[in-house]
Amino acid sequence: MNGQVKNFGCDAILCPSGTYHANGKQGDKSSPCKECPDSEFLGSTQCLVSSTIRDREILELFYKTCGGDNWWNRANWTDPNVHICNWHGISCKGGTHSVLLGSNNIVGTPPEDLFELSQLEKLWLYSNPIKFKFDGIEKATELTELLLDSTGLTTVKGIGKVPSLIDLDLRFNSIGGEFPYDEIKNLVHLKTLSISDNALTGHLSSSLIEDLASLTTLRLGANMLSGPLPDFTGFHNLHTLDLSDNQFSGEISTRLLFDVDDVSLRTEIDLSSNNLEGTVPWKAFRDFSNLELYLRDNNFVGIDEEMCRETDWNGGEVGKYSCDALLCPPGTYSNIGRQSDGSNCEECASAQYYGSVHCSGGKTTFSSAAYEGRGIIGLSFVGLITLLFSLCFS
């Protein structure tokens, strides 16, 4: 080490606890390890005293701006004798690592300064009536989890400036218009994206978000998306796909999730409550050994017989009930569109398609993700007559 140990002793290897240096050690006479009471470990590269002071200022501003006196839980907040790491919902790992304040009656617009918290990785503000803005979010360079479900959010403009995100939850809001490709495509490290129960419209193109190579979970149920069902070609890790309760039409592509690598992992696909039609193709799902498949409340007229022999699907219920564990056949229905341990397919003359969830006419809408239907072989002649009869006399 060019004689540095001889000149500066152990400091030339690592600065001792209680001190710090930008390089973690002393390199020359003019740049010694500096005192820092908050530096607990050898080789500290920063002094957190100044960052802790700034973090306290930011959190106190947040408290004041967003109605802190009326929060459901505000234990220790703004107490000058309590370290910020012991305030309710705050945890530290070096700097302020997490702000976990979901369902806490937070109101107003959180200040932009919040994104300046040192080492912020998790920000949970879900189920609070706030007016959240993404201005300045690029300052949160280590942010990995952002949970803003049920906050009244109407836009995601600016979210694309924080590519470090891994988990993004925007469910149960009022985000409208087309899918925000220009913002979302920049979040290249995302593993979980949830925007279900919003007001998204238009067609969905999986090719426009193909840069999200790490995506394992995509939830877009309960929107107003329409057009052909994307096949998500190029997605190698996607094992949870919820597109239920939309307006997708046409047939299911036999290349749906074709490029998923590990088909032995539990996979959940929810396509229920759309306008899909034709025969449910076994080829689209055959590679998955541990599959939960929900297809109820569409316009399917058939189901490939091979699917009925996938005995491990739907938690083993296909092994018990064969095709009915996927979709109730025409002429029958159940409230979940299929037979399960808790629901049978019951006779219903007006049930025209596989996976009917009602017995009266009209269409029943379910909220996104969870149950589904399943089927048998093809719409029979009797089923066709039933369909014509109901159209003529409804």
Side-chain angles (χ1 to χ4, degrees):
M1 301 182 69
N2 298 322
Q4 292 175 344
V5 174
K6 180 180 179 180
N7 294 328
F8 310 121
C10 291
D11 289 7
I13 301 174
L14 288 174
C15 287
S17 59
T19 68
Y20 81 105
H21 189 283
N23 297 321
K25 62 185 180 67
Q26 183 173 358
D28 57 61
K29 187 176 181 179
S30 63
S31 182
C33 298
K34 299 178 181 178
E35 290 188 9
C36 179
D38 278 11
S39 296
E40 301 179 34
F41 305 106
L42 300 175
S44 294
T45 59
Q46 57 181 327
C47 183
L48 298 177
V49 170
S50 58
S51 63
T52 299
I53 293 173
R54 175 56 179 154
D55 283 1
R56 177 181 284 269
E57 292 174 348
I58 292 171
L59 293 173
E60 288 178 343
L61 176 62
F62 175 42
Y63 182 91
K64 180 180 179 180
T65 303
C66 295
D69 287 343
N70 294 314
W71 290 358
W72 302 133
N73 192 333
R74 50 192 176 88
N76 294 329
W77 273 76
T78 71
D79 188 331
N81 298 314
V82 178
H83 196 284
I84 60 173
C85 298
N86 294 317
W87 293 3
H88 169 72
I90 304 300
S91 63
C92 302
K93 188 174 69 177
T96 302
H97 171 258
S98 303
V99 178
L100 311 180
L101 293 170
S103 301
N104 203 40
N105 198 38
I106 298 171
V107 299
T109 301
E112 181 178 329
D113 306 59
L114 202 59
F115 299 127
E116 297 179 19
L117 288 171
S118 60
Q119 301 183 33
L120 180 64
E121 293 186 19
K122 298 180 181 181
L123 180 58
W124 298 4
L125 297 177
Y126 61 85
S127 299
N128 285 297
I130 56 177
K131 297 179 180 179
F132 193 89
K133 295 182 179 180
F134 296 98
D135 298 338
I137 197 170
E138 65 274 9
K139 300 172 186 175
T141 57
E142 299 179 47
L143 187 63
T144 59
E145 294 184 21
L146 182 59
L147 309 188
L148 296 174
D149 41 310
S150 301
T151 57
L153 201 64
T154 60
T155 178
V156 296
K157 185 177 181 180
I159 189 71
K161 295 178 181 179
V162 57
S164 57
L165 278 177
I166 293 175
D167 185 0
L168 177 61
D169 194 340
L170 305 175
R171 295 172 300 157
F172 305 106
N173 282 303
S174 301
I175 303 168
E178 294 189 348
F179 185 89
Y181 299 105
D182 289 343
E183 296 287 348
I184 300 299
K185 70 181 182 181
N186 297 318
L187 307 180
V188 295
H189 297 293
L190 268 187
K191 290 185 177 181
T192 300
L193 174 61
S194 301
I195 320 183
S196 57
D197 294 272
N198 276 278
L200 296 175
T201 59
H203 291 195
L204 179 66
S205 174
S206 56
S207 64
L208 294 181
I209 54 173
E210 61 184 3
D211 289 338
L212 306 184
S214 299
L215 203 63
T216 63
T217 299
L218 178 61
R219 298 192 182 280
L220 295 175
N223 280 283
M224 294 179 283
L225 297 167
S226 59
L229 188 73
D231 59 17
F232 296 93
T233 298
F235 286 75
H236 295 276
N237 302 294
L238 192 56
H239 285 277
T240 299
L241 177 63
D242 174 21
L243 300 178
S244 65
D245 200 1
N246 278 286
Q247 300 168 17
F248 291 109
S249 57
E251 299 187 357
I252 298 174
S253 169
T254 57
R255 292 185 59 83
L256 182 67
L257 297 182
F258 182 79
D259 291 326
V260 169
D261 291 334
D262 191 349
V263 293
S264 67
L265 294 178
R266 183 185 185 278
T267 299
E268 179 181 326
I269 301 174
D270 190 346
L271 305 178
S272 57
S273 298
N274 279 285
N275 297 314
L276 301 174
E277 57 190 31
T279 298
V280 181
W282 173 64
K283 190 176 180 180
F285 311 105
R286 64 182 180 183
D287 292 332
F288 296 101
S289 58
N290 187 5
L291 179 64
E292 297 290 327
L293 181 61
Y294 306 125
L295 299 170
R296 69 165 186 271
D297 198 23
N298 279 286
N299 302 322
F300 294 122
V301 297
I303 181 169
D304 283 350
E305 290 185 78
E306 292 91 339
M307 297 181 68
C308 309
R309 293 190 283 269
E310 297 287 353
T311 57
D312 292 331
W313 286 4
N314 284 5
E317 290 184 337
V318 175
K320 294 180 180 180
Y321 309 116
S322 188
C323 289
D324 290 0
L326 295 171
L327 292 171
C328 289
T332 67
Y333 86 109
S334 88
N335 63 339
I336 62 172
R338 65 183 182 91
Q339 185 168 357
S340 70
D341 291 341
S343 181
N344 295 322
C345 296
E346 301 179 8
E347 289 187 8
C348 176
S350 65
Q352 305 160 11
Y353 300 108
Y354 283 88
S356 292
V357 296
H358 55 81
C359 187
S360 59
K363 190 169 183 178
T364 300
T365 299
F366 286 69
S367 68
S368 60
Y371 310 106
E372 257 279 28
R374 172 261 150 167
I376 203 152
I377 296 173
L379 184 62
S380 64
F381 177 77
V382 174
L384 180 60
I385 295 301
T386 301
L387 169 60
L388 293 174
F389 182 87
S390 65
L391 290 175
C392 292
F393 295 97
S394 59

